Amino acid sequence: MTATTNGIHHITAIAGDPQANLDFYVGVLGMRLVKRSVNQDVPDTYHLFYADAAGNPGTDLTFFPWPQLPPVKSGSGLWSEVYLGVAPGSIDYWGERLQAHESTGVVVGEVEARFGERVLPFRDPHGMPIALVEDELYGDFSFAPWDRSTVPPDKQIRSLAGVRLVERRAEPTTGFLQRAFGFDAVASDGRLQRYVVGEGKSGQRIDLVVDEDAPQGQWGVGAVHHVAWRAADDEAQAALRHAIAQAGGRPTPVIDRFWFKSVYVNEPGGALFEVATDGPGFTVDEAHDSLGESLVLPHWLEPKRSAIEAALPELSLPQAQR
Ligand code: ZN
């Protein structure tokens, strides 16, 4: 049997200024800061996690704020646009809301149709391409609306709906997607070739753009760093890890991130994938009500807490989450 994933677990991107990041994702997009931590490999850098009220897998967009980096060089072997899922009928609300917040640096595009769905593309204040998509959740997907959001519950961002990937050549990436993760090609719309797992609903999609002339992409501010895919438990993660190796990938060992366990692999074109377990989740080290309010460190960094805190810029939560 082919190993498969249920869909996206989380997406991690590179931001500029951390306060601008917080102000936009909490204050404007109305997401909840569910974890305030540091990059475990670079602990003088924040790692900020935004999600639904519960931090459910499939809702979590995270950032490393690295304002000293140059802007992303878009191109081959990089994830590009991130799709955020909203309920059908919400796009007009979002168009007005984003336009009212243009002072944050957000650049709002025109509503368009992709694969028969209404989509609103925009660039966040760090230049990252995002598209709001009116689409449907899949079978067991959980979304917990947040009652302290600046956005009404029925308009809130419900999911990481999908992601775009740019490659110079379709193969060998498409073969890897199929054999390692169980993605199948289902349709194309203009330059986009859609690959799906499961029911192909919100969070179960990769849109591939093949561009022979694309330069090699390079991480920078506004880049997607990696896309993590769901594994229900350790066993499902081991099966995916095995399938990745069978497909010619070189997965890392399992790394304990405490909120989930992670395996990383670069696909043949270079883009970074992760396989993350659904559990134990963000309430393993903080109470549900106070998620994101204080700095959480991995245990081996606790002895250095005061030096780490002193090196990090101060952050002030937007009114909505105080
Ligand atoms: Zn990750």
Side-chain angles (χ1 to χ4, degrees):
M1 193 193 118
T2 316
T4 187
T5 172
N6 279 342
I8 295 172
H9 182 287
H10 66 268
I11 295 179
T12 296
I14 300 172
D17 178 66
Q19 185 66 52
N21 182 254
L22 187 61
D23 288 345
F24 185 73
Y25 282 91
V26 173
V28 179
L29 292 194
M31 298 174 82
R32 182 179 188 189
L33 179 71
V34 293
K35 196 64 67 182
R36 183 192 304 220
S37 190
V38 293
N39 181 312
Q40 294 184 7
D41 304 312
V42 193
D44 62 355
T45 302
Y46 276 117
H47 193 181
L48 303 175
F49 297 69
Y50 306 99
D52 71 351
N56 278 309
T59 69
D60 177 22
L61 181 58
T62 94
F63 290 91
F64 302 132
W66 278 325
Q68 69 279 16
L69 287 192
V72 56
K73 279 193 187 147
S74 306
S76 182
L78 271 197
W79 301 106
S80 56
E81 193 177 47
V82 170
Y83 306 163
L84 301 177
V86 293
S90 316
I91 287 282
D92 294 338
Y93 165 87
W94 277 105
E96 285 171 27
R97 181 172 178 82
L98 292 176
Q99 264 156 12
H101 288 88
E102 279 181 332
S103 62
T104 60
V106 64
V107 179
V108 190
E110 299 285 331
V111 174
E112 54 188 76
R114 296 184 197 163
F115 299 98
E117 291 169 339
R118 292 187 83 208
V119 173
L120 175 62
F122 67 92
R123 282 181 185 265
D124 84 354
H126 316 289
M128 185 165 82
I130 298 188
L132 290 163
V133 181
E134 288 183 351
D135 65 1
E136 288 181 30
L137 302 175
Y138 59 86
D140 62 349
F141 191 96
S142 299
F143 160 67
W146 182 38
D147 58 10
R148 281 187 282 160
S149 173
T150 48
V151 174
D154 63 325
K155 304 287 194 302
Q156 287 177 21
I157 290 162
R158 307 189 300 181
S159 67
L160 304 181
V163 62
R164 189 183 287 199
L165 177 61
V166 180
E167 301 286 357
R168 273 190 215 112
R169 294 181 299 147
E171 279 289 355
T173 294
T174 51
F176 179 81
L177 288 176
Q178 210 288 322
R179 296 202 303 279
F181 288 92
F183 280 93
D184 288 313
V186 289
S188 58
D189 185 352
R191 301 166 67 218
L192 305 177
Q193 297 169 22
R194 178 155 286 185
Y195 288 78
V196 306
V197 287
E199 301 163 60
K201 292 190 174 173
S202 202
Q204 299 181 311
R205 303 154 170 183
I206 294 174
D207 286 343
L208 179 68
V209 174
V210 177
D211 178 358
E212 285 175 14
D213 301 323
Q216 185 64 38
Q218 263 177 33
W219 283 340
V221 173
V224 173
H225 188 271
H226 64 266
V227 178
W229 299 88
R230 294 177 66 177
D233 51 26
D234 292 0
E235 206 175 308
Q237 185 178 53
L240 277 165
R241 189 174 181 281
H242 180 72
I244 288 167
Q246 291 291 109
R250 298 181 61 184
T252 65
V254 176
I255 300 169
D256 193 350
R257 298 298 190 195
F258 310 106
W259 313 297
F260 42 82
K261 289 182 189 165
S262 299
V263 167
Y264 301 85
V265 66
N266 290 99
E267 56 83 26
L272 184 57
F273 281 68
E274 177 181 343
V275 178
T277 53
D278 280 356
F282 293 114
T283 53
V284 73
D285 54 9
E286 280 184 302
H288 177 274
D289 281 352
S290 54
L291 284 175
E293 287 176 11
S294 49
L295 184 73
V296 175
L297 296 177
H299 61 84
W300 73 87
L301 289 174
E302 273 301 341
K304 296 184 184 162
R305 175 176 279 273
S306 51
I308 288 171
E309 285 182 337
L312 289 169
E314 242 178 83
L315 284 184
S316 137
L317 270 176
Q319 198 64 39
Q321 197 165 331
R322 276 186 203 148

